[in-house]
Amino acid sequence: MTKILKGKPASDRLSEELLRRSDVLRGKDVIPTLAVVRMGERPDDLAYERGLTKRAEKTGVEVRRFLFPENIPETEFLPEFQKIADDPSVHGILPFRPLPRQIRDEKIREILPGSKDVDGITAASMAAIYEDGRGHSDSGFAPCTAESVMELLDFYGINPDGMRAAVVGRSLVIGKPVSALLLQKNATVTVCHSHTKNLSDILQNNDILVLCAGHAGIADRSSFRKGQIVIDVSVNFGEDGKMRGDAVFEDADGVVSAITPVPGGVGSLTTSILMRHVIEAAERTIQ
């Protein structure tokens, strides 16, 4: 029987731990604070903001919203963003992306301090991941989705040490950082992408599959075997409007040992990981 690796139980357990840590900080007059920087009123941004606000309430994190018109000129926005970055009472900053066309992403990444980069978009965060240097006062953080994969494995007692892991996708948001995090856990990692030949054969020969290509159905029956753990990170929408991952779930169910559902899997954890990063950033300020 295939085990379904749901994200909510892991998220709930993590939130309980984070609330205790947040209470300790507040006892030292430190309020862990996340700055949400949003330009415009995109429905997906608003939905994510509502979700993270609810998670913040459960973990003792204060959320401050900095809202700007979608058409704000870069010359006006960057000084305002610099003020947020320089505010010592703000421990984490989350600029909603993609940014409007007139705001250069690289400028945001230049201004954002690694120590406040709670979703892993700066060079400091990338360096921290690949050097395994997280925890220092100026270190960044792994992207929340990539770290959610590792948190889910840990919650269900899956130790990647010595296992073969295939990551399908090479983005800076998920594929590359989760590959580095798996390497830190002593997995032997193969990174696959759109130019990979014989993908199904490669996937069959791995113990852990992390699917983050954003391509529905890229992993089907020919990709699966008994004993595998499938972590499906992607969110795709079919013509029927239904949400699905990269795996053909019906092909994997009953064959692999465990699989994450879409929705209800890795995505359920990301806001909890975001709050953990904010709390860690606040804790570093008093170490």
Side-chain angles (χ1 to χ4, degrees):
M1 181 180 293
T2 298
K3 184 174 185 178
I4 307 301
L5 307 178
K6 295 183 178 180
K8 187 178 184 302
S11 181
D12 289 345
R13 185 185 72 172
L14 180 56
S15 293
E16 291 176 4
E17 173 205 330
L18 295 178
L19 183 58
R20 290 192 293 270
R21 289 166 62 177
S22 181
D23 287 343
V24 170
L25 284 167
R26 288 170 179 268
K28 298 178 180 180
D29 295 323
V30 175
I31 300 174
T33 301
L34 171 67
V36 168
V37 181
R38 173 164 55 81
M39 285 160 278
E41 303 283 333
R42 286 178 44 178
D44 54 341
D45 284 350
L46 294 173
Y48 186 57
E49 184 178 308
R50 287 193 295 270
L52 72 84
T53 300
K54 290 179 181 178
R55 186 60 56 182
E57 291 171 355
K58 293 180 179 180
T59 56
V61 172
E62 179 177 296
V63 176
R64 295 186 199 166
R65 296 172 181 81
F66 295 86
L67 311 180
F68 301 92
E70 187 173 4
N71 62 351
I72 185 172
E74 184 182 72
T75 52
E76 292 182 23
F77 175 74
L78 293 181
E80 295 300 316
F81 190 70
Q82 185 71 64
K83 291 178 185 177
I84 301 168
D86 292 340
D87 186 342
S89 68
V90 169
H91 303 104
I93 302 173
L94 181 67
F96 278 12
R97 301 157 83 208
L99 302 169
R101 186 175 302 176
Q102 75 278 9
I103 309 294
R104 287 172 289 176
D105 199 82
E106 63 269 22
K107 288 295 183 182
I108 298 298
R109 289 185 276 113
E110 287 173 7
I111 293 173
L112 179 58
S115 58
K116 298 184 180 185
D117 176 23
V118 287
D119 199 20
I121 68 172
T122 63
S125 287
M126 289 295 108
I129 296 167
Y130 294 110
E131 295 176 3
D132 194 16
R134 288 184 55 225
H136 303 297
S137 60
D138 58 349
S139 295
F141 297 87
C144 293
T145 304
E147 193 164 323
S148 294
V149 171
M150 305 307 296
E151 184 71 21
L152 197 66
L153 290 172
D154 181 69
F155 178 80
Y156 285 103
I158 300 167
N159 184 359
D161 194 327
M163 300 178 75
R164 292 168 297 173
V167 177
V168 186
R170 53 179 170 176
S171 72
L172 285 173
V173 177
I174 307 171
K176 289 180 180 178
V178 82
S179 299
L181 295 174
L182 284 163
L183 282 171
Q184 289 176 19
K185 294 294 185 179
N186 299 316
T188 299
V189 181
T190 300
V191 180
C192 306
H193 44 77
S194 58
H195 289 247
T196 300
K197 296 179 180 179
N198 303 316
L199 177 62
S200 294
D201 292 340
I202 293 171
L203 296 184
Q204 270 218 346
N205 287 318
N206 278 268
D207 308 306
I208 298 174
L209 309 183
V210 180
L211 307 176
C212 49
H215 191 298
I218 199 171
D220 58 16
R221 187 173 301 278
S222 63
S223 307
F224 306 127
R225 62 167 171 78
K226 291 183 178 180
Q228 286 178 315
I229 294 97
V230 180
I231 308 297
D232 198 341
V233 182
S234 293
V235 174
N236 307 293
F237 290 92
E239 293 180 359
D240 57 3
K242 291 183 179 180
M243 187 185 300
R244 49 178 58 86
D246 282 354
V248 180
F249 186 88
E250 296 79 7
D251 288 357
D253 192 21
V255 177
V256 302
S257 290
I259 187 171
T260 57
V262 178
V266 174
S268 307
L269 259 173
T270 54
T271 54
S272 292
I273 296 295
L274 176 66
M275 298 311 149
R276 178 163 72 185
H277 290 173
V278 175
I279 290 170
E280 282 185 21
E283 289 170 340
R284 292 177 188 176
T285 65
I286 59 174
Q287 288 176 352

